Amino acid sequence: MAVSPGMPGRRVIVYGLGGTIAMTAAGSDGVAPTLSTAQLVASVPGLAATGIGVEVEDFRRLPGASLTFDDITALAQSVHELTTADPGIDGVVVVQGTDTIEETAYLLDLLHPEACPVVVTGAMRPPQLAGADGPANLLAAIAVAANPHTGDQGCLVVLADEIHAARRVRKTHTSAGATFRSPTGGPLGYLVEGQPRMVNRLTHRTVLPRPAAGSPPPRVALVTIVLGDDGLLLEHLPGHLDGLVVAAFGVGHVPAALVPLLDTLARRIPVVLASRTGAGSVAAATYGFPGSERDLLGRGLISAGFLDPLKARILLHTLLTAGSDRPTMTAAFGVAGGYTDPARWPWPRPGRTDSQPRSPGCVATN
Ligand code: ASP
């Protein structure tokens, strides 16, 4: 796809964290991350013609599966420091393994208060395969990060010429190039002839304080409820966890036999009720049987609303790290889950969310 030049003077920082996009064959044992961020950027055809100035940070060189909360928190801190020290930076790109993008991007979204976009990308096919998608995805991500109309939307995920909100995007296929989807709400935009075109905008941001380095990590489990579930996993959890997300059936249902276990857990730790279906919201007031959403929410479980179980776990982990109490968690899930007024978000909200072009650079907005 042709890229029309037109961003001279814009500046983007690319952080490399590894992933398939940076993998080459390490002997006969399959591919592993070896390429530097500078090598990745150098492999992108057409980048020079855009006029965008690109600087690189080699941050990690890992498969997506081995990234941690600490890695992403340190990344958020580094983005904050670099962009506030140098207000001439227009946007940030993060290159990483696609396996964990739906989680890391949402964590970055929660920890990034500035107006400039943080755009996460990767590749489904390593560089040596025919049809490798890394260079196209990286070029698209840089174009989105440099564009003056993509700000105030927090963290974005760009692959296969689609622009997704971090809070909505899911990896939906093991190997397809167009694996990233936003089943609730759709993409925020598309790349058309190499240029970002936004067709939707988020109405509000949900940003938490960045945790202090060395904050003790909470232990937050995600348990998927299954047909005939006898509660084996839930039975062994008390005493081991700081928080739990339950990926329940449909609009938020579990077998009646699990209700006493969840009731006990919810008295001790925050237990979040999400849906395992992959799209749509948990309900609040429809069903009345034992194990229904009404029953569970009445026992103190917190609704995840539209957040899928993986995102709900990221939010709960971040709230626990911030030392939030139960009312604060409930308020945060109400807003992030899309079922209460955004004005009830417990922390100051960054910036405006209108469609005006932002001023150049990463202006700190709270
Ligand atoms: N398949 C993954 C990727 O797309 C591997 C990883 O996440 O590191 O990058």
Side-chain angles (χ1 to χ4, degrees):
M1 190 61 61
V3 176
S4 35
M7 293 280 153
R10 307 292 288 183
R11 286 174 59 213
V12 170
I13 299 196
V14 179
Y15 282 82
L17 273 63
T20 293
I21 192 169
M23 293 195 191
T24 57
S28 56
D29 296 330
V31 296
T34 56
L35 299 177
S36 70
T37 316
Q39 285 173 307
L40 289 181
V41 168
S43 73
V44 177
L47 179 57
T50 66
I52 301 167
V54 176
E55 293 141 63
V56 296
E57 288 282 327
D58 259 321
F59 199 73
R60 300 284 186 274
R61 209 170 288 176
L62 294 168
S66 293
L67 291 170
T68 64
F69 278 87
D70 279 352
D71 290 323
I72 303 306
T73 303
L75 175 62
Q77 181 64 27
S78 174
V79 167
H80 171 70
E81 284 166 10
L82 274 182
T83 55
T84 47
D86 184 348
I89 295 167
D90 295 292
V92 173
V93 169
V94 175
V95 179
Q96 69 151 89
T98 60
D99 287 355
T100 47
I101 280 180
E102 60 196 304
E103 292 169 85
T104 58
Y106 186 48
L107 179 55
L108 276 172
D109 189 58
L110 294 172
L111 301 179
H112 172 65
E114 282 82 29
C116 62
V118 172
V119 183
V120 183
T121 193
M124 295 301 290
R125 296 167 72 79
Q128 72 277 10
L129 284 193
D133 51 338
N137 288 339
L138 183 48
L139 184 59
I142 291 170
V144 171
N147 192 281
H149 298 279
T150 57
D152 297 324
Q153 299 290 285
C155 184
L156 302 168
V157 172
V158 171
L159 280 97
D161 280 345
E162 292 189 344
I163 305 166
H164 295 270
R167 68 174 72 156
R168 295 179 180 165
V169 73
R170 308 192 65 178
K171 186 173 182 180
T172 64
H173 194 282
T174 55
S175 57
T179 176
F180 285 91
R181 296 268 169 246
S182 297
T184 302
L188 294 185
Y190 302 88
L191 276 291
V192 179
E193 296 175 322
Q195 298 302 311
R197 304 266 188 269
M198 302 298 270
V199 293
N200 294 305
R201 290 188 71 82
L202 301 177
T203 56
H204 61 279
R205 304 257 322 262
T206 51
V207 179
L208 281 93
R210 265 184 310 282
S215 308
R219 303 192 78 186
V220 182
L222 166 57
V223 172
T224 301
I225 305 301
V226 291
L227 182 70
D229 205 316
D230 63 359
L232 177 69
L233 291 178
L234 293 175
E235 258 168 33
H236 291 87
L237 291 179
H240 297 286
L241 286 183
D242 302 302
L244 170 68
V245 175
V246 174
F249 302 120
V251 293
H253 299 162
V254 303
L258 300 192
V259 172
L261 281 168
L262 288 171
D263 184 279
T264 304
L265 276 163
R267 290 173 197 276
R268 298 184 188 177
I269 57 172
V271 180
V272 174
L273 183 64
S275 172
R276 64 176 211 170
T277 57
S281 177
V282 168
T286 302
Y287 294 92
F289 54 80
S292 68
E293 84 288 352
R294 279 178 75 114
D295 182 21
L296 297 171
L297 298 176
R299 293 171 188 275
L301 277 75
I302 302 169
S303 172
F306 280 115
L307 291 179
D308 68 48
L310 294 176
K311 311 269 190 219
R313 179 176 170 272
I314 296 294
L315 178 58
L316 182 54
H317 192 286
T318 310
L319 289 164
L320 285 162
T321 306
S324 311
D325 58 16
R326 201 68 82 93
T328 304
M329 290 186 194
T330 305
F333 268 98
V335 176
Y339 58 92
T340 56
D341 185 339
R344 295 178 65 183
W345 183 251
W347 293 275
R349 282 178 299 153
R352 62 186 198 283
T353 53
D354 57 35
S355 56
Q356 289 175 318
R358 67 203 142 92
S359 54
C362 286
V363 182
T365 51
N366 78 343

